Amino acid sequence: YHTSHKLVNGLRFAVMVPEYYVPTRESRTVLPESFSKGDTVYNISHASMFTAAMITGKTELLKNACKDRIHQRYRKNYVEHMEDIFEKSYELGSCATYLSGSGPTVLSVLNGNFNGFSFEMNRFFADGGMNWKCRVLKIDNVGAVVSTASEF
């Protein structure tokens, strides 16, 4: 089952990608075999809050909604400078910053200052000798589309 909702106009994602790759299989090895009920409930409730905030536009909820007890603390050793990147992104106005999947890509949700955020993050990476790049992307409310060659 699924449902579709258009996300709030004006939000964008900053995608921060390093020049190295961490295989998902490898990053899974640092995760525990099981999680406590408390940590699981915590993450489910925060994921629900994230979804609601993205649909309603209550961006003030996003930073708290991205708090995690399941994977980020275990995988941070695979993501060079992760804590520094999170801190800088919030300093520059990110509504939310989180590790994308198993990493090492980091995402931030932005509600403005798109060019400034990208410029400052790329400068932060360069000044710190970090081989990362930041790119700001519009949110796609359509998703994947199958087209025939004649439609191009």
Side-chain angles (χ1 to χ4, degrees), residues 1-133:
Y1 300 105
H2 76 282
T3 184
S4 297
H5 293 279
K6 290 201 181 288
L7 301 179
V8 175
N9 286 331
L11 296 179
R12 294 191 184 176
F13 286 106
V15 181
M16 293 164 277
V17 183
E19 289 186 5
Y20 63 89
Y21 171 73
V22 178
T24 299
R25 178 174 286 178
E26 184 178 334
S27 77
R28 282 186 183 147
T29 65
V30 299
L31 298 175
E33 288 295 317
S34 62
F35 299 97
S36 72
K37 183 190 293 185
D39 286 348
T40 304
V41 169
Y42 181 94
N43 265 49
I44 291 170
S45 67
H46 282 71
S48 298
M49 186 186 334
F50 181 86
T51 302
M54 290 296 288
I55 292 169
T56 63
K58 294 184 178 180
T59 57
E60 69 276 7
L61 299 176
L62 290 172
K63 183 175 182 179
N64 188 50
C66 285
K67 291 183 179 175
D68 169 79
R69 292 186 185 170
I70 297 291
H71 79 113
Q72 290 185 162
R73 66 180 169 192
Y74 301 106
R75 290 177 163 152
K76 70 181 178 182
N77 292 332
Y78 284 104
V79 183
E80 297 170 10
H81 312 286
M82 186 174 109
E83 291 173 347
D84 296 331
I85 293 167
F86 276 48
E87 184 178 321
K88 185 67 174 180
S89 73
Y90 284 122
E91 179 184 309
L92 294 173
S94 171
C95 298
T97 298
Y98 53 94
L99 186 61
S100 176
S102 64
T105 299
V106 173
L107 295 180
S108 286
V109 180
L110 306 178
N111 194 16
N113 190 31
F114 309 123
N115 292 333
F117 184 93
S118 179
F119 178 83
E120 291 298 331
M121 284 306 298
N122 283 316
R123 180 164 49 184
F124 172 73
F125 296 143
D127 290 350
M130 300 178 225
N131 291 321
W132 287 68
K133 299 287 183 219

